[in-house]
């Protein structure tokens, strides 16, 4: 049987190769435009169309237009890549229809990259060659630093024109192995895309002489294996935002055409599945996943291998696997990006999971707010069916499995697993008491495994690169990486994937670039409505399931919202609580009534009616709701209040006792006045006031009628002379 | 079933015909497919999505028709329709404006954008403008938080929206509607 599987896989792989060779893209100039919800919102659709027209008009057959998902670099979208044979790929940021013309005529046709439009503006000229030294924690970091320092001199000595070479110290390539820890340095040479493992200076010297100078790669030192993030580095390695990350879950996002099965296969897609089916041993899959220390990425962090083992052990043979693509945390978007950018990766994870637990059917539960993700998954499922990767007798292995999509309908609580099951069954999405856990009695009463999108997309990588490799990437108790969705008051908003155990400082400042506008960081909010706010003084906390809960937040699904001095923590606590209160399904009293009472207290405090007992009442109610609620929504709803009460108590006190909002956010506690000395009488404020409570004569100081002011802040924003005081 | 004593009063066929008439072709196809599923009820929400996609909302007549054809109690269909925020039980405007008030958008000023829309249209969340052009709704994150504040008009996502851009945005959609009508 096993021979069948490999033969079937090889046949498909050969077909993919043939089709891709026929397209012969590698020898052409490729223009790559992102196609995802975020890219399109930034105007990628127009950009794509404009390039299409220009290529057509040029009549050139050696220029192709490609589509990829997003790379998770939101603040610079739309991003366009120009990849010419034998050259380092060039990426452009914030491309508009006007910029398309420059890029096309100057670069694509003229061969001269338009440096001022390049992503992150980090380069002044595109070098002919680039050397990337791994600066990861695990492999030879010290040696890597030494090489970094030595290289210019060595290059000069060998007669290589140093001005044409750029040396980059990049993050972990994900190649590290325990036996080599501290002993080797990994170096990537672009654009040749050759990756070396160097033991010492002698090796480095050999590469310089033979490859960099002589143009012949050193076979002895060259890594033959296909490495997970090499292709990502090859495309984006020169961009600081990216090269400090380790892209495992996002390995294909922004690289492959998400609608093309053949392209996915080019990057070893479905080879892990073939391996699994060839072995034909579900227990081996479960053991492998267990040894990888992969923990669920949906929030609770339950070990994935253990969860699978529970379902596989059930007496009932009809079983299901569900992909939780409800992504409810308002502020998280990594699941959407993966569904849109690497749908085949998620599907492959599902098939492998289905095999491991002995399921016959699998379901994607996708929120209706993600139409493009739904289309891409639908397309991936159809293509897989067409090529025998879903349906009867997959790859000739005798394994039968199929996938279907079910849509959410805008209820946050449906991300909770028992509610989600009810929703797939076509009922109201109300949670039920656990146990029994879904692995025992889930969908239609059958054993069911529910996994998050990111959990599943990691599975093929775990199988392909091995569990030890994956486990080593993370921390002691938790393997691999985590994708964070960085948003709010941070310079570079976007997706950041780092090894578990990386510090918050590295994420927010090292990669995110810190808070813009010279403002002070006030809080990092993780875990959404179930999470908490982490203050600046805890920036060196490593991100892991246990460490984050110790500081009163949670890992959650990876939403990370940065807040600055203009954000009021009492207001934020109120924001989250009103979210939970709104989304409470109402089934149990502590959650339904408790959150309402807490919200009333917070509303009193922010409107200046607070009394000192309110704070203790909040704490008492919070503990009660935590203990007595039926599901995770209610149990975690008090977290944002408790964490802000712990870390920002002085702000609560200012609201309650001084009737003052330090961030000047709570309207009822803010007053607007015009400073007669600064006012030049331009009348801008009066014209913009929605309730016309500002009066005066042109060129004389204006006045605000405080009794009628609704505190909208418009006057404060429009006054160009700083004459409106807010206190 | 000719031996059935009540066959003269069995109006199943008429009810089915009436139900079919209340729905569109693609919805009927989806229902046919669902009936072949081992668990037809599991398709209910997908079918309601299709109904809303076609009619713009879930009318009583359509919900009853779905209940009949799918053979689930009408109360269950209503129960589901009222539980999920996404379903609208009365007709909406030509354009549904969803203003994201998720965390990222809130922190980046989404509430001010919402205020401006309310002011410009003279309506609150859940309401439709008098000309039937716009319905205002609030959303919980549309998944493009990196571009906050974000709004969604039908399926189009607009990024980094500033309050003073709102009038122009509305005008653009009004123009679009006029062109489509012409
Ligand atoms: C109120 C609530 C909302 C949730 N929302 C999601 C969600 O949107 N996506 C998700 O993957 N998990 C969500 N979860 C967690 C799931 O219940 C479940 O633990 C998870 O999907 C399991 O997958 P994992 O083990 O791969 O993490 C939510 C839990 C609760 C209590
Ligand atoms: S805790 Fe809240 S959301 Fe969960 S079951 Fe109870 S009322 Fe519903
Ligand atoms: S805050 Fe608003 S309502 Fe008050 S004076 Fe200024 S513009 Fe007018
Ligand atoms: S906008 Fe400023 S300067 Fe102009 S009238 Fe108002 S307060 Fe005075
Ligand atoms: S630390 Fe160098 S490859 Fe991981
Ligand atoms: S919070 Fe608005 S798009 Fe996510």
């Amino acid at each position: 049987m096993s021979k069948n599987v490999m033969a079937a896989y090889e046949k498909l792989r050969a077909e993919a190769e043939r089709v891709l060779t026929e397209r012969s893209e590698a020898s052409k100039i490729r223009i790559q435009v992102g196609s995802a919800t975020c890219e399109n919102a930034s105007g990628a659709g127009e950009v794509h169309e404009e390039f299409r027209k220009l290529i057509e008009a040029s009549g050139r057959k050696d220029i192709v237009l490609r589509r990829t998902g997003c790379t998770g670099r939101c603040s610079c979208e739309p991003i366009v890549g120009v990849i010419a044979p034998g050259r380092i790929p060039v990426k452009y940021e914030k491309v508009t229809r006007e910029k398309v013309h420059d890029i096309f005529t100057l670069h694509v046709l003229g061969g001269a990259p338009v440096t001022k439009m390049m992503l992150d503006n980090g380069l002044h000229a595109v070098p002919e060659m680039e050397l990337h030294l791994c600066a990861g924690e695990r492999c030879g970091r010290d040696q890597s630093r030494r090489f970094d320092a030595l290289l210019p001199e060595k290059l000069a000595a060998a007669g290589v024109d140093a001005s044409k070479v750029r040396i980059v110290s990049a993050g972990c390539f994900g190649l590290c192995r325990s036996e080599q820890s501290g002993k080797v340095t990994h170096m990537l040479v672009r654009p040749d895309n050759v990756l070396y493992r160097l033991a010492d200076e002698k090796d480095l010297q050999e590469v310089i002489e033979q490859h960099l100078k002589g143009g012949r790669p050193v076979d002895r030192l060259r890594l033959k294996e296909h490495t997970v993030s090499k292709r990502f580095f090859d495309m984006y390695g020169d961009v600081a935002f990216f090269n400090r990350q380790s892209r495992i879950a996002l390995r294909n996002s922004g690289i492959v055409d998400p609608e093309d099965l053949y392209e996915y296969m080019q990057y070893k897609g479905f080879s892990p599945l073939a391996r699994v089916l060839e072995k034909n041993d579900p227990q081996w899959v479960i053991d492998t996943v267990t040894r990888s220390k992969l923990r669920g990425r949906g929030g609770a962090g339950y070990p994935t291998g253990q969860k699978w083992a529970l379902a596989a052990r059930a007496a009932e043979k009809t079983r299901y696997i569900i992909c939780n693509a409800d992504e409810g945390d308002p502020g998280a978007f990594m699941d959407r990006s993966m569904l849109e950018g690497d749908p085949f990766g998620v599907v492959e994870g599902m098939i492998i999971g289905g095999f491991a637990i002995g399921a016959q059917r699998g379901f994607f539960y996708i929120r209706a707010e993600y139409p493009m993700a739904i289309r891409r998954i639908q397309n991936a499922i159809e293509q897989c069916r067409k090529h025998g990767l879903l349906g009867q007798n997959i790859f000739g292995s005798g394994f039968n499995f199929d996938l279907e999509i079910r849509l959410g309908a805008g209820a946050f609580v449906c991300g909770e697993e028992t509610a989600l099951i009810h929703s797939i069954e076509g009922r109201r999405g109300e949670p039920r008491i656990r146990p029994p856990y879904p692995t025992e009695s889930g969908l239609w009463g059958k054993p069911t495994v529910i996994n998050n999108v990111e959990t599943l997309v990691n599975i093929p990588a775990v199988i392909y690169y091995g569990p030890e490799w994956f486990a080593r990437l993370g921390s002691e108790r938790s393997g691999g990486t985590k994708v964070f969705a960085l948003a709010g008051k941070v310079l570079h908003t976007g997706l950041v994937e780092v090894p578990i155990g990386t510090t918050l400082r590295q994420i927010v400042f090292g990669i995110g670039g810190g808070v813009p506008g010279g403002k002070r960081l006030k809080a990092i909010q993780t875990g959404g409505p179930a999470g908490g706010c982490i203050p600046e003084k805890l920036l060196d906390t490593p991100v892991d399931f246990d460490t984050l809960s110790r500081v009163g937040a949670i890992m959650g699904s990876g939403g990370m919202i940065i807040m600055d001095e203009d954000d009021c923590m009492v207001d934020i606590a109120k924001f989250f609580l009103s979210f939970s209160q709104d989304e409470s399904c109402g089934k149990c009293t502590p959650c339904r009534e408790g959150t309402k009472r807490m919200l009333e207290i917070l509303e009193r405090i922010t409107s200046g009616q607070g009394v000192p007992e309110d704070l203790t009442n909040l704490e008492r109610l919070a503990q009660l709701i935590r203990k007595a609620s039926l599901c995770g929504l209610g149990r975690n709803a008090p977290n944002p209040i408790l964490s802000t009460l712990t870390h920002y108590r002085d702000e609560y006190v200012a609201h309650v006792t001084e009737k003052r909002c330090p961030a000047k956010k709570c309207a009822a506690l803010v007053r607007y006045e015009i400073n007669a000395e600064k006012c030049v009488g331009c009348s801008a404020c009066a014209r913009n006031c929605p309730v016309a409570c500002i009066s005066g004569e042109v060129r004389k100081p204006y006045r605000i009628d405080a009794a009628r002011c609704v505190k909208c802040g418009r006057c404060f924003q429009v006054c160009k002379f700083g004459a409106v005081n807010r206190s | 079933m000719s031996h059935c004593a009540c066959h003269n009063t069995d109006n199943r066929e008429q009810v089915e015909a009436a139900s079919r008439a209340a729905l569109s072709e693609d919805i009927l196809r989806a229902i046919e497919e669902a009936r072949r599923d081992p668990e037809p009820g599991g398709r209910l929400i997908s079918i309601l999505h299709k109904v809303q996609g076609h009619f713009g909302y879930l009318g009583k007549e359509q919900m009853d028709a779905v209940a009949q054809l799918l053979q689930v109690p009408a109360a269950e269909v209503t129960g589901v329709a009222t539980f999920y925020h996404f379903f609208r039980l009365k007709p909406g405007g030509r354009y549904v404006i969803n203003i994201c008030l998720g965390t990222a958008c809130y922190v980046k000023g989404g509430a001010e954008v919402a205020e401006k829309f309310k002011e410009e249209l003279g309506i609150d969340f859940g309401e439709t403008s008098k000309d039937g052009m716009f319905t205002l709704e609030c959303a919980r994150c549309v998944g493009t938080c990196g571009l906050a504040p974000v709004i969604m008009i039908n399926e189009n996502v607009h990024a980094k929206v500033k309050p003073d851009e709102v009038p122009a945005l509305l005008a653009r959609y009004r123009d679009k509607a006029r062109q489509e009508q012409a």
Side-chain angles (χ1 to χ4, degrees), chain A residues 8-66:
Chain A
Y9 166 71
E10 279 305 328
K11 184 159 163 266
L12 187 57
R13 202 191 53 78
E15 182 184 322
E17 206 172 291
R18 186 173 48 74
V19 172
L20 293 172
T21 317
E22 270 166 22
R23 284 189 212 152
S24 63
E25 286 194 358
S27 61
K28 296 179 174 167
I29 301 177
R30 285 158 283 168
I31 303 174
Q32 189 164 296
V33 184
S35 161
T37 306
C38 46
E39 292 273 11
N40 290 356
S42 314
E46 283 180 6
V47 166
H48 191 277
E49 180 54 19
E50 205 61 23
F51 272 119
R52 196 193 58 74
K53 282 193 215 145
L54 289 174
I55 296 173
E56 201 177 271
S58 77
R60 292 265 299 257
K61 293 281 175 280
D62 64 333
I63 303 173
V64 287
L65 191 54
R66 284 170 45 82

Side-chain angles (χ1 to χ4, degrees), chain A residues 212-483:
Chain A
L212 308 189
K213 194 176 162 198
R216 282 171 298 119
V218 186
D219 267 346
R220 183 177 73 81
L221 299 170
R222 178 180 189 159
L223 283 179
K224 307 274 179 318
E225 65 247 58
H226 181 95
T227 58
V228 66
S229 41
K230 195 178 87 173
R231 56 177 178 267
F232 190 82
F233 272 87
D234 186 45
M235 181 70 199
Y236 298 104
D238 46 358
V239 182
F241 179 80
F242 292 126
N243 68 28
R244 292 178 189 152
Q245 304 190 30
S246 297
R247 295 250 171 166
I248 314 292
L250 292 170
R251 59 193 178 278
N252 289 323
S253 295
I255 309 265
V256 301
D257 179 340
E259 300 189 5
D260 191 341
L261 181 125
Y262 294 139
E263 273 207 19
Y264 177 68
M265 291 199 71
Q266 185 182 18
Y267 295 111
K268 303 293 166 192
F270 294 116
S271 145
L273 174 65
R275 173 115 178 262
V276 162
L277 295 179
E278 184 201 25
K279 270 207 185 287
N280 197 21
D281 180 2
Q283 193 56 45
W284 175 81
V285 182
I286 294 174
D287 289 342
T288 304
V289 174
T290 306
R291 279 192 294 146
S292 76
K293 298 189 192 168
L294 170 64
R295 292 175 67 174
R297 303 296 195 237
Y302 195 81
T304 307
Q306 269 180 45
K307 192 187 274 188
W308 290 9
L310 286 174
R313 213 182 290 147
E316 169 63 54
K317 297 293 174 223
T318 302
R319 300 172 192 154
Y320 301 106
I321 183 164
I322 298 172
C323 171
N324 189 344
D326 197 42
E327 191 151 72
D329 172 3
F333 51 99
M334 66 290 279
D335 290 353
R336 177 189 60 72
S337 174
M338 288 178 255
L339 294 165
E340 290 178 356
D342 190 16
F344 290 101
V346 193
V347 166
E348 185 173 8
M350 279 287 266
I351 307 175
I352 294 174
F355 174 80
I357 66 158
Q360 301 78 33
R361 280 171 92 185
F363 294 88
F364 274 94
Y365 187 79
I366 313 179
R367 61 199 304 242
E369 290 88 340
Y370 288 178
M372 185 183 273
I374 295 166
R375 281 198 296 273
R376 294 250 159 103
I377 291 292
Q378 186 63 45
N379 171 67
I381 291 176
E382 279 161 19
Q383 286 204 37
C384 284
R385 280 192 193 133
K386 207 170 103 201
H387 290 95
L389 291 160
L390 281 175
Q392 300 293 310
N393 197 16
I394 297 173
F395 272 155
S397 66
F399 174 51
N400 306 330
F401 183 74
D402 211 345
L403 287 170
E404 290 164 49
I405 297 180
R406 292 299 155 86
L407 303 188
F412 173 68
V413 73
C414 284
E416 195 278 337
E417 48 190 29
T418 60
L420 187 152
I421 285 172
H422 290 154
S423 184
I424 294 189
E425 290 171 349
R427 301 194 275 147
R428 292 163 72 93
E430 282 168 1
R432 64 158 173 79
I433 293 175
R434 299 176 307 174
Y437 287 93
T439 44
E440 193 185 318
S441 171
L443 192 56
W444 296 300
K446 309 291 184 201
T448 304
V449 158
I450 299 176
N451 277 129
N452 167 260
V453 174
E454 189 182 339
T455 311
L456 289 165
V457 88
N458 272 307
I459 296 292
V462 167
I463 303 284
Y464 191 86
Y465 300 101
E468 285 72 29
W469 161 81
F470 192 83
R472 252 186 83 66
L473 269 177
S475 70
E476 191 61 39
R477 295 191 47 203
S478 178
T481 56
K482 178 75 194 88
V483 182

